[in-house]
Structure formats: structure tokens, C-alpha cells
Amino acid sequence: MSSRTYFKIMKDQLQQEFIAIYGKPAANAFFSPGRVNLIGEHIDYNGGLVMPCAITLGTSMLTAPNNDGVFRFRSVNFEDTADIPLQSSYTKENSCWYNYPLGVIQHFLNDGHQLQGLDMLYHGNIPIGSGLSSSASIEVVTAFAFNTLFNSGYSKLDLVKLSKWVENKFIGLNSGIMDQFAVTFGEKDKALMLNCDTLDYEAVDSNLGDHVLAIINTNKPRKLAESKYNERVQECAAALKALQQELDIHNLCDIDTDTFNKYKHLITDAVVLKRATHVIEENDRVKLAAKALAGNNLAEFGRLMYASHDSLRDLYEVSGKELDAVVEYAKTDTNVAGARMTGAGFGGCAIALVKADAFDDFSSEVINYYTAKIGYAPSVYSSLIGDGVGILS
Ligand code: GLA
């Protein structure tokens, strides 16, 4: 089924659901994807280079105005519902899913935009907690919808920054800008080469040749992921501070591996040194990966993916036996060019570049290997690299 047909069916089904809930049809529909990151992990908040792609899994949002001055939140995926009156300020409510849209609304209000009551229905097909950015997807779809419906005049880049604000200030995760950027600016069959310091980017052909991108969800429930993520952010800040004793830099990624090697003695904490080593070397790997992709050198690209994974496992310590099991299997399969964990880690998803005609074999073999080792099965998807946020038509 083409993605266009799929989205049409999805929209029709959601419209039926909307009518069942609200007794009237939705007037507008929007969609924002999730993302995978090909390489450049834990780099965005260090001002370096990343290479994410939007995927065809994502969050749909149907809306209709109401005259009651109320924001009504409903989701096909979650039982929690909320009817929240239009007021000037909101705070995060427990760990409910609608905190993400509520944070977006808060930002619109902070900027003085006039809003009106809205009935909303969300549907996501990104597995929750899978590291494919379901949170950026819901933030960005909401920001895009409100910007469109209330003529708020934000640029696409404003929407990215606004959604990052929600994550950082409303939700409390000190994440970088990669996810929100990727789900906003993603393009079909392209990877984004994004400089997270300047926010310059280029959409490059994701030349996978006769390979496809496989996404393997470990299905490991993520625990403590947020606190560990924020801990890594702090460790990188400590490394930067140590280097700034002698170097005039603003981000860890302002220096390459050679310069780092000359100054790394300034970092006295062994753990902080490991984290910084990952960041600097990973940033250099992204530069090599971009060259490999441009030169259709998938073998080199794959080698860099494996190196990235090893570094995230040993130096950054954000992998785990589940993600490692997927990559271990991939290394034994001659139809796989490369594999690595993607996203924050601590569970979530791995990606692999798999020969298209061997995808089914890969899928059943990795499931067998993983299940024997971990005790439950992973889910395997063949991903399509899709477009960024937009109107669902
Ligand atoms: C999460 C964050 C991103 C990025 C990745 C790791 O997805 O939201 O900002 O830091 O982890 O690369």
C-alpha cells in the first residue's frame, strides 16, 4: 500500500472516531512523523553534526473549533482525557500524554497569541518509549496545527524551537534540537545533515542502494531514561567547562579529535573524559559518514555505524544488553551493512542497513537471536523515510 493510500484510510477512520466522540466531523487534519537518526548520537546538545530522517510512522491530529473556550484532548491510544478551559497559564499534570500539547499551548500564550477553544483527537502509530520521537511528533503536530488554525505567524524554525522549549521547560528533559528539527523539516527519501550549532542543514539523498533501513524495536520498557539523559547532558557540560580553561570554545563539538587529544588532560574525571571522547569522535564520524553516503560507499557508512554503536556502549554507556544483542546479531549477517542503536538509548530502537531482498530473512533471524538471548521478541519494521510535518490530506 502506498503511503498516500495509507494516510487516506487513516484519516477516514479517524474522522469516524472524531464524530463518535464529538458528534460532529473534524474540520482539519495534520500529521507529524517520528524520526530515526542514522548517525551522530548525543551530539545535538553539544553543538555538532547529526543525520536524522523523518519516518512514515507518526502522530495524526484532527481538530474542530468549539465556542466553549475549552481545549478538549482525546487520544485513540490513551484513556486519559482532559477538558481544560482557556486560561493564561498551565502546569504539567502528572505524566499524562496531553502535557505535550498543553506545553505548546502555554508557549503560544506566553507569546501573546489569541487562541480559541478546540476539540482535538490524536492518534499515534509510533511505539511509545521506542526512541523514535513520539514526543517531538506530538509537540510539532500541535504547534503546526495551532499556528495554522490561529494564524500565529511562526516560521517552521520557530515551531522547532517552540517545541524544544516544551520538552526542556514544560516537560523537564534537557534534550537537544535534533528530534523537533527532523520531524519538522524531514523530506521523503532524504537524510538531514544538520549542524546543531548554526542550525544550517542540507537534505541529502539517503542513497541506500539495494539496502533498506530496518528499525528494530527492543520492546524494552525504558526506565530512568530521563534522569540518565539529563546526567549525560551535565557530564558534557562539565567536560566543556574543563576544556574552556585553555580553549575558547562554546560547544564540545567545536573541536575535532586531534585538538581534543592535545587538551583532554584538562578533564580530570575519568567518566567525564569517556563521555567527551564519545562526543568528539562521534562528531568526526558524522563527517566521514556524510562523505561515505555522498560517494555511495555503504560499506564505509556501515562500518561507521558499528563504530558509533561501540562508542555509545563503551564510552557513553547508554546502550544495554537488548540493543547490543541486535547489533551483535547484525554483525554476523552478511546481508547487513551496518547497525547501531538510534536515539537516546537505554532501550528503544536499533537501526540496520539490510539488503532489500534479504529483509524477511534478517527479520526472522534477528527475532530468533534476540528472543533466545533476551527472553521476549523485538519488533522489526522496514522503514520508509517520509516527509516532515504538514496537513494530512
Ligand atoms: C533524544 C533527544 C535528542 C538527542 C537524542 C540523542 O532523542 O531528544 O535531542 O539528544 O536523544 O542523540
Side-chain angles (χ1 to χ4, degrees):
M1 190 195 307
S2 74
S3 52
R4 184 182 288 260
T5 317
Y6 171 74
F7 284 123
K8 169 97 184 59
I9 294 172
M10 191 163 77
K11 186 177 167 189
D12 292 348
Q13 284 176 353
L14 284 175
Q15 182 66 287
Q16 292 314 313
E17 189 86 20
F18 195 97
I19 293 169
I21 294 170
Y22 291 114
K24 63 182 179 190
N28 295 91
F30 306 90
F31 177 80
S32 173
R35 65 98 192 88
V36 290
N37 185 20
L38 296 184
I39 194 158
E41 217 63 83
H42 288 278
I43 286 295
D44 57 353
Y45 52 86
N46 289 300
L49 298 166
V50 294
M51 209 190 280
C53 317
I55 55 176
T56 50
L57 301 175
T59 313
S60 306
M61 176 186 181
L62 269 60
T63 65
N66 66 53
N67 294 321
D68 313 325
V70 173
F71 297 118
R72 296 199 176 90
F73 297 104
R74 303 288 184 275
S75 163
V76 174
N77 306 86
F78 300 100
E79 282 183 7
D80 295 331
T81 64
D83 291 6
I84 300 180
L86 181 49
Q87 59 200 45
S88 56
S89 106
Y90 301 100
T91 44
K92 184 172 148 187
E93 297 192 4
N94 305 318
S95 55
C96 293
W97 66 272
Y98 52 79
N99 282 311
Y100 294 94
L102 206 53
V104 170
I105 293 173
Q106 182 66 64
H107 195 293
F108 275 70
L109 294 171
N110 290 350
D111 283 353
H113 292 293
Q114 293 296 318
L115 305 178
Q116 281 162 15
L118 200 65
D119 295 340
M120 295 167 261
L121 176 64
Y122 290 86
H123 171 248
N125 59 3
I126 304 175
I128 305 292
S130 62
L132 300 177
S133 288
S134 55
S135 60
S137 182
I138 189 170
E139 288 153 9
V140 168
V141 77
T142 308
F144 185 87
F146 273 65
N147 194 39
T148 308
L149 296 171
F150 300 109
N151 293 313
S152 306
Y154 289 118
S155 68
K156 270 176 128 183
L157 188 58
D158 293 335
L159 299 181
V160 170
K161 291 180 180 166
L162 178 164
S163 300
K164 179 177 181 286
W165 176 90
V166 174
E167 196 77 55
N168 297 165
K169 304 292 180 206
F170 200 81
I171 303 292
L173 186 76
N174 295 326
S175 54
I177 204 159
M178 171 173 76
D179 301 348
Q180 290 80 7
F181 199 99
V183 308
T184 303
F185 286 101
E187 290 179 31
K188 191 172 181 333
D189 298 330
K190 307 265 184 186
L192 303 183
M193 269 297 297
L194 169 65
N195 179 322
C196 297
D197 182 29
T198 61
L199 300 186
D200 289 336
Y201 82 101
E202 198 187 339
V204 297
D205 279 336
S206 51
N207 276 327
L208 301 182
D210 54 356
H211 287 64
V212 289
L213 183 69
I215 300 179
I216 306 97
N217 185 356
T218 60
N219 290 329
K220 179 194 176 189
R222 290 207 294 183
K223 288 201 190 110
L224 293 177
E226 290 191 6
S227 60
K228 290 234 191 282
Y229 185 96
N230 287 344
E231 187 182 286
R232 295 294 178 279
V233 175
Q234 278 167 13
E235 287 161 348
C236 290
L240 177 64
K241 200 163 169 223
L243 292 170
Q244 282 171 331
Q245 294 172 87
E246 290 188 22
L247 287 170
D248 180 20
I249 54 172
H250 302 289
N251 295 298
L252 274 186
C253 293
D254 289 349
I255 53 174
D256 61 12
T257 308
D258 288 345
T259 311
F260 180 66
N261 285 337
K262 282 188 208 128
Y263 291 91
K264 65 182 182 191
H265 61 273
L266 294 169
I267 303 174
T268 47
D269 183 301
V271 172
V272 171
L273 180 61
K274 282 207 286 188
R275 307 299 188 240
T277 306
H278 163 75
V279 169
I280 309 266
E281 291 179 352
E282 177 81 350
N283 194 45
D284 281 354
R285 270 190 290 274
V286 181
K287 294 176 199 159
L288 296 175
K291 278 194 198 134
L293 200 60
N296 290 329
N297 189 346
L298 217 59
E300 169 67 358
F301 195 90
R303 185 191 70 74
L304 292 162
M305 287 174 79
Y306 284 133
S308 168
H309 184 84
D310 291 351
S311 176
L312 288 156
R313 182 192 59 210
D314 300 335
L315 297 177
Y316 220 66
E317 297 179 285
V318 291
S319 185
K321 65 180 190 323
E322 298 80 5
L323 287 162
D324 292 344
V326 174
V327 174
E328 253 161 49
Y329 168 74
K331 283 182 177 166
T332 67
D333 188 330
T334 52
N335 291 311
V336 179
R340 57 183 288 278
M341 53 156 278
T342 190
F346 319 105
C349 286
I351 51 173
L353 299 182
V354 183
K355 278 238 175 78
D357 56 12
F359 179 81
D360 290 343
D361 287 346
F362 166 81
S363 178
S364 50
E365 292 297 325
V366 75
I367 290 173
N368 289 342
Y369 182 91
Y370 183 95
T371 310
K373 191 146 195 180
I374 304 296
Y376 53 85
S379 313
V380 183
Y381 312 88
S382 171
S383 132
L384 293 173
I385 298 179
D387 283 317
V389 67
I391 288 172
L392 182 60
S393 52

